[in-house]
Amino acid sequence: MGKFVITKRSNGEFQFNLKASNGQTILTSEGYSAKSSCENGIESVKENAQDDSKFEKKTSSNGKYYFSLKATNGQIIGSSEMYESTAARDNGIESVQKNAPDASTDDQS
């Protein structure tokens, strides 16, 4: 089962990473000034991860593939790592969809 890990950045902002059961990070959030906003971001991932239309598949300038998960308002909730292939990126999306809904939260901030 996956888990969300909340950490504090060196600039004082909070962020979360969604980690798969193997410990690999599959989604990283933006920085939040308040922990409560970070926690709301986690809830938004849980709510939106099952909707395929909320995932935006992208290609970076260096030719690698990644995705972003968007909230209902169109704001990006989190982004993936860079992948070498579209198949690997699509597996990352499936992993978010599988792990996010029931993931626990580990607050390490």
Side-chain angles (χ1 to χ4, degrees):
M1 185 160 101
K3 70 177 175 178
F4 290 95
V5 179
I6 298 174
T7 55
K8 198 167 190 180
R9 294 179 175 175
S10 57
N11 65 1
E13 290 183 331
F14 295 89
Q15 77 171 45
F16 65 81
N17 288 311
L18 173 59
K19 295 185 179 265
S21 54
N22 64 4
Q24 183 177 0
T25 298
I26 49 178
L27 192 73
T28 300
S29 75
E30 63 180 357
Y32 297 95
S33 56
K35 188 190 288 190
S36 60
S37 299
C38 186
E39 292 166 340
N40 288 340
I42 290 171
E43 289 307 312
S44 187
V45 170
K46 290 182 176 187
E47 292 168 16
N48 290 288
Q50 298 307 305
D51 185 345
D52 288 338
S53 71
K54 299 288 171 60
F55 287 91
E56 187 173 33
K57 298 177 182 182
K58 300 179 178 183
T59 306
S60 68
S61 58
N62 66 359
K64 302 232 178 176
Y65 304 96
Y66 69 106
F67 63 85
S68 295
L69 176 61
K70 292 189 169 187
T72 306
N73 65 5
Q75 184 176 354
I76 293 175
I77 314 166
S79 297
S80 72
E81 65 180 358
M82 295 293 167
Y83 295 99
E84 296 294 330
S85 67
T86 56
R89 178 189 60 202
D90 293 346
N91 286 340
I93 291 172
E94 287 179 25
S95 186
V96 170
Q97 291 177 321
K98 183 176 110 185
N99 286 285
D102 301 316
S104 59
T105 299
D106 180 7
D107 187 347
Q108 297 181 1
S109 63

